[in-house]
Amino acid sequence: MSVLPPPVPTRFRFASPPITRHHVISQHLPVTSTATSLNNSNTTLNNSNTTLSSSPSTYNINYNNNNQNEDLEFDCDEDDLRSLQKRRYDFTPLLEFLSNSEYSSVPQTSLDSTEFLLAESYRAVPGPLWHSLLKSLSSSSNININTNINIAYAVVSWLQKHNLCFSYELLYSILIHALGKSDKLYEAFLLSQRQTLTPLTYNALIGACARNNDLDKALNLMSRMRQDGYQSDFINYSFIIQSLTRNNTIDSSLLDKLYAEIQFDKIELDSQLLNDIIVGYAKSGDPSRALNFLAMVQGSGLSAKTSTLVAILSSLGNLGRIAEAEAIFEELKENGFKPRGRAYNALLKGYVKAGALKDAEFVVSEMEKTGVSPDEHTYSLLIDAYTNAGRWESARIVLKEMEASDVQPNSYVFSRILASYRDRGEWQMSFQVLREMKNSGVRPDRHFYNVMIDTFGKYNCLDHAMATFDRMLSEGIQPDIVTWNTLIDCHNKCGRRDRAEELFEEMQDKGYFPCVTTYNIMINSLGEQERWDDVKGLLTKMKSHGCLPNVVTYTTLVDIYGQSGRFNDAIECLEDMKTAGMNPSSTMYNALINAYAQRVSNLHICHGPTVLTVHMRAGMSDQAVNAFRVMKADGLKPSLLALNALINAFSEDRRDAEAFSVLEYMKEIDLKPDVVTYTTLMKALIKVEQYHKVPAVYEEMIGSGCTPDRKARAMLRSALRYMKQSLKS
């Protein structure tokens, strides 16, 4: 007799599946000291150990109350535990039966006496022990894993046939979870296809996909789960965000989409998920959103983890947002946390980004005072600060201090020095850095060579770039996707597009798969050549290889389509971007408005004031205004460059009233007009023969603090000359 378990919830954490209590009343199972064999294997459960061990030919399932297995929790009272420990369960007869017989789970009119006796002998086995058996079979390192999976599936079917265990969907979920944890995602999907997916099996599959970093499948499963009428929960979202963060593939727009789904489904966020979201936004380079969620956590009376605060601090430091970084750093100390190296380095990076050399030196000094020893990252950031300030000798002193502190300089430190020279245009210093590196006994690694190739590529030294690539290969250092992207990009920017395409093909021939950055580089190159069929073909290839377009992809497409006058295609890209859950940036709208305006100007220059071009210019101006309105509706602020371009479009179209309305809008949003703004407005007045208004615009320009340039003065002279001629006539 056994106590019936309560209904199982539709959700459990894979690390701790919910187990209800089982009371063992009697035991018909043979108690053995010598287990029979199953292909030279033993399958027993006793209380001698706490480990779940497996070898190519052995399965031993052991249980002990003193140290629970991390993947299984038992909810039993003390009497149950003592009773469970005293018994030794031998599963070998069952596994032999399922392995050697033509077993079928289909209900039969009559039951073989052997199977009946076998079922009765296992009637008293508690559920947790069946769970352990299934996990042992599905996570085994046995070479013939498919055989073990089939036996595990047969065990579940056999239990279901004889009604020996509760919640069979939980058993299938345990199998799927164990397979996912053992990096056997393909086998997990094969197993899931044998049964109709339920909330438990959906959750197990989503967790398995996230654990194996197959996020496309995880997101697809969540979508299917919703279509089937099941609601996902916060743990699935935690799994996915953690996987994105772990693999540095986190994207702010994707997080926005996931959070919108959470809000739509009215899923309650727990502390872990909130921390995951904050870390996700921080790692994606959006500390503002991270700070918003931090305020939400603290406003709810919860506390953010120390690692979460450090992630925000690091993100703020990367962007040089010093004041906020300092506030987070002080909050860490107020919470009783003694800052360690990672927190100090994050703050130090902010000072380096901001060019605050004295503050950077002070941070290192504070580290030493509080007993935190500077590490390689600390020294590399300090070297960054000195090289950015042009103090190469101070950087060399830091290198000597590293050696004195038994911190061996590594290749990354020298790569930062090289990057600093690159950013200041001193590419010739690459050779000196390489010599200094060798004198310190440090071998260049792949990252150093990538920086060196990029340095030569930025300054049109393609021969040096390829020589560095060849040297890298000769030293046995294999390139990565960053190496190939750098080579392809620098050849494109230097006008060697044919060679760039050859490198694109060569990387694939050598087994390197293009990433989204690679495709973005090639799409931009093909767009500049106006090879539109090739652009669309490359986009199709990109998606077919599972590489989804990102914000940069869409920005590139809008830019190349706009510059070529293919405005319908540009607008279609914006709509596709919104459909994909990404928000167009102000840069994209500014580029589009500028492209419209530039097109108006080009029409006037190339074709003159014909009836056809007048209508075309008017249409272009209206399209620019529409793009401007959509941009405002999306809550984005246009740039000064875009608004100047819009004024110019109205000027070419002889629409002076609209041109001046743009000026008023600039004043409303506190965007200060520049000399180009006023000069373009004067040009608009001259085109419509409103010469008498030009001096007032010129006076306003001076009054606003803008210094007139040669072109502005020429506009004023032209207006005065026309006024003088009209007075004479």
Side-chain angles (χ1 to χ4, degrees):
M1 179 178 178
S2 61
V3 178
L4 293 177
V8 179
T10 59
R11 179 63 192 163
F12 69 97
R13 280 187 180 271
F14 297 121
S16 304
I19 308 298
T20 55
R21 294 179 179 175
H22 299 268
H23 297 273
V24 181
I25 305 301
S26 62
Q27 181 178 345
H28 305 286
L29 203 65
V31 179
T32 61
S33 59
T34 305
T36 56
S37 63
L38 169 63
N39 299 328
N40 297 323
S41 69
N42 296 322
T43 309
T44 61
L45 189 146
N46 57 45
N47 65 333
S48 60
N49 285 283
T50 62
T51 61
L52 183 70
S53 62
S54 63
S55 66
S57 62
T58 303
Y59 304 99
N60 293 316
I61 307 173
N62 302 311
Y63 171 79
N64 186 291
N65 183 39
N66 296 327
N67 185 13
Q68 290 178 323
N69 185 280
E70 66 174 0
D71 295 317
L72 188 64
E73 290 181 359
F74 296 96
D75 185 14
C76 305
D77 59 32
E78 292 182 4
D79 292 336
D80 292 332
L81 292 173
R82 293 194 199 98
S83 176
L84 194 60
Q85 286 177 308
K86 290 177 182 177
R87 289 167 170 78
R88 178 183 176 91
Y89 296 97
D90 184 6
F91 292 99
T92 305
L94 173 61
L95 299 184
E96 283 183 337
F97 172 78
L98 296 176
S99 177
N100 297 330
S101 64
E102 294 294 331
Y103 173 69
S104 173
S105 62
V106 179
Q108 301 169 349
T109 55
S110 63
L111 192 63
D112 179 81
S113 59
T114 303
E115 184 176 352
F116 175 76
L117 292 173
L118 194 62
E120 287 302 306
S121 68
Y122 288 102
R123 182 76 56 187
V125 176
L129 304 188
W130 291 116
H131 302 163
S132 295
L133 174 64
L134 294 175
K135 291 167 66 177
S136 176
L137 288 169
S138 55
S139 61
S140 168
S141 59
N142 195 311
I143 296 174
N144 195 5
I145 183 62
N146 291 329
T147 300
N148 293 334
I149 293 170
N150 289 333
I151 293 175
Y153 180 76
V155 169
V156 177
S157 301
W158 189 82
L159 291 171
Q160 191 169 9
K161 177 180 177 181
H162 295 286
N163 198 25
L164 291 180
C165 194
F166 67 93
S167 185
Y168 299 102
E169 61 183 57
L170 174 59
L171 299 181
Y172 287 116
S173 300
I174 289 172
L175 282 178
I176 292 169
H177 171 59
L179 288 169
K181 189 174 180 182
S182 301
D183 299 328
K184 300 180 179 69
L185 188 59
Y186 176 73
E187 289 84 355
F189 269 92
L190 287 180
L191 180 62
S192 70
Q193 292 172 4
R194 301 187 184 186
Q195 296 287 330
T196 302
L197 288 175
T198 65
L200 278 173
T201 46
Y202 264 123
N203 290 329
L205 276 175
I206 292 168
C209 291
R211 181 185 291 275
N212 287 273
N213 302 319
D214 197 335
L215 296 175
D216 289 337
K217 284 190 177 70
L219 293 171
N220 183 50
L221 282 167
M222 289 180 70
S223 177
R224 281 177 55 192
M225 189 176 184
R226 190 176 288 106
Q227 291 171 6
D228 288 348
Y230 303 128
Q231 188 185 71
S232 186
D233 64 9
F234 57 87
I235 298 178
N236 284 337
Y237 287 101
S238 275
F239 283 156
I240 289 173
I241 294 172
Q242 287 169 11
S243 181
L244 287 166
T245 306
R246 189 167 57 245
N247 293 282
N248 292 320
T249 54
I250 196 77
D251 183 80
S252 183
S253 59
L254 179 56
L255 272 176
D256 288 339
K257 186 177 180 181
L258 291 173
Y259 183 63
E261 290 180 3
I262 292 171
Q263 287 185 308
F264 181 81
D265 291 337
K266 297 181 180 178
I267 296 172
E268 185 177 353
L269 284 77
D270 71 340
S271 178
Q272 180 61 52
L273 178 54
L274 284 168
N275 276 276
D276 290 335
I277 291 173
I278 294 170
V279 172
Y281 276 116
K283 292 289 183 69
S284 69
D286 192 351
S288 297
R289 289 284 283 162
L291 288 169
N292 288 340
F293 277 94
L294 177 62
M296 184 190 301
V297 169
Q298 294 173 336
S300 303
L302 302 173
S303 297
K305 295 180 179 179
T306 300
S307 57
T308 302
L309 293 175
V310 173
I312 298 174
L313 177 59
S314 180
S315 182
L316 291 168
N318 287 337
L319 297 176
R321 291 167 60 171
I322 300 302
E324 294 157 298
E326 288 174 340
I328 294 293
F329 189 79
E330 290 302 318
E331 185 174 337
L332 278 170
K333 293 196 290 187
E334 288 172 5
N335 291 341
F337 171 72
K338 183 181 178 182
R340 306 303 302 169
R342 189 180 169 201
Y344 276 112
N345 287 340
L347 185 61
L348 176 60
K349 189 167 189 177
Y351 288 130
V352 173
K353 284 276 185 181
L357 181 58
K358 289 185 177 180
D359 289 322
E361 292 174 328
F362 177 77
V363 169
V364 177
S365 176
E366 280 297 303
M367 285 180 71
E368 293 170 342
K369 287 180 182 178
T370 56
V372 179
S373 300
D375 57 14
E376 291 176 4
H377 193 199
T378 312
Y379 284 118
S380 66
L381 288 170
L382 193 56
I383 288 170
D384 263 358
Y386 284 128
T387 52
N388 289 340
R391 292 172 55 178
W392 169 239
E393 287 303 319
S394 297
R396 294 184 68 176
I397 291 172
V398 173
L399 286 173
K400 298 298 182 184
E401 287 181 5
M402 288 181 71
E403 295 175 1
S405 302
D406 292 328
V407 180
Q408 179 64 31
N410 57 16
S411 182
Y412 177 78
V413 172
F414 287 96
S415 70
R416 296 306 308 146
I417 296 173
L418 179 57
S420 176
Y421 282 122
R422 175 200 63 196
D423 296 340
R424 297 212 313 272
E426 300 179 30
W427 64 268
Q428 299 92 338
M429 293 296 292
S430 301
F431 305 106
Q432 181 177 335
V433 173
L434 189 60
R435 282 194 299 271
E436 193 76 29
M437 191 175 184
K438 287 187 173 180
N439 292 338
S440 299
V442 179
R443 285 192 61 190
D445 61 4
R446 181 166 51 208
H447 176 69
F448 179 85
Y449 279 125
N450 284 346
V451 175
M452 199 169 188
I453 291 169
D454 184 56
T455 302
F456 290 132
K458 281 186 183 300
Y459 298 99
N460 203 14
C461 303
L462 296 183
D463 290 340
H464 286 312
M466 291 306 299
T468 303
F469 180 65
D470 293 337
R471 178 174 183 169
M472 174 180 173
L473 296 176
S474 68
E475 293 180 4
I477 300 173
Q478 294 301 314
D480 60 3
I481 191 65
V482 176
T483 316
W484 289 107
N485 287 346
T486 305
L487 286 170
I488 293 168
D489 190 41
C490 69
H491 279 83
N492 271 324
K493 288 178 177 176
C494 294
R496 291 287 310 278
R497 294 192 170 93
D498 54 342
R499 180 60 180 142
E501 290 183 35
E502 290 174 5
L503 289 167
F504 181 64
E505 296 299 328
E506 184 181 336
M507 71 172 284
Q508 295 174 80
D509 293 340
K510 292 186 176 180
Y512 295 89
F513 294 101
C515 66
V516 64
T517 303
T518 321
Y519 283 113
N520 290 342
I521 293 168
M522 292 305 300
I523 287 170
N524 184 65
S525 174
L526 294 171
E528 288 178 348
Q529 300 173 68
E530 300 191 358
R531 292 164 54 181
W532 307 118
D533 290 339
D534 291 335
V535 168
K536 291 182 178 178
L538 194 60
L539 270 173
T540 302
K541 181 180 178 181
M542 175 182 180
K543 294 174 183 177
S544 67
H545 288 172
C547 196
L548 299 178
N550 60 9
V551 174
V552 177
T553 312
Y554 287 111
T555 304
T556 303
L557 287 168
V558 169
D559 185 49
I560 60 175
Y561 283 137
Q563 292 297 328
S564 301
R566 300 174 68 92
F567 298 113
N568 290 336
D569 289 329
I571 296 297
E572 186 179 335
C573 284
L574 286 173
E575 296 303 320
D576 289 344
M577 185 178 183
K578 292 178 180 178
T579 304
M582 290 179 267
N583 297 321
S585 64
S586 58
T587 304
M588 298 177 70
Y589 283 112
N590 288 331
L592 190 57
I593 293 170
N594 189 52
Y596 281 130
Q598 191 66 39
R599 201 72 175 173
V600 172
S601 180
N602 290 342
L603 282 171
H604 177 76
I605 293 170
C606 298
H607 303 286
T610 65
V611 174
L612 177 62
T613 55
V614 167
H615 284 296
M616 290 176 68
R617 287 203 308 269
M620 291 294 175
S621 298
D622 290 338
Q623 285 180 314
V625 172
N626 287 335
F628 174 66
R629 287 172 178 164
V630 174
M631 184 180 187
K632 285 178 63 180
D634 286 346
L636 298 173
K637 184 178 178 180
S639 68
L640 178 62
L641 177 64
L643 292 176
N644 283 343
L646 192 58
I647 291 173
N648 186 59
F650 287 133
S651 170
E652 296 292 347
D653 208 20
R654 299 175 181 272
R655 296 163 64 177
D656 57 306
E658 286 92 336
F660 276 89
S661 69
V662 176
L663 175 64
E664 293 304 314
Y665 173 75
M666 291 171 69
K667 294 176 181 178
E668 288 174 10
I669 63 173
D670 295 326
L671 186 63
K672 185 179 179 181
D674 63 0
V675 65
V676 176
T677 311
Y678 289 109
T679 303
T680 310
L681 287 169
M682 288 190 286
K683 182 178 73 171
L685 292 172
I686 291 173
K687 279 184 175 291
V688 295
E689 299 181 359
Q690 298 285 325
Y691 309 119
H692 62 286
K693 294 182 180 180
V694 172
V697 174
Y698 191 86
E699 290 295 328
E700 183 179 336
M701 175 174 59
I702 295 174
S704 67
C706 293
T707 303
D709 60 5
R710 181 180 57 81
K711 193 170 184 180
R713 292 192 294 270
M715 286 290 176
L716 179 62
R717 285 195 297 269
S718 295
L720 293 174
R721 186 168 60 252
Y722 285 127
M723 289 171 63
K724 185 176 181 180
Q725 289 176 356
S726 61
L727 288 173
K728 287 182 179 180
S729 61

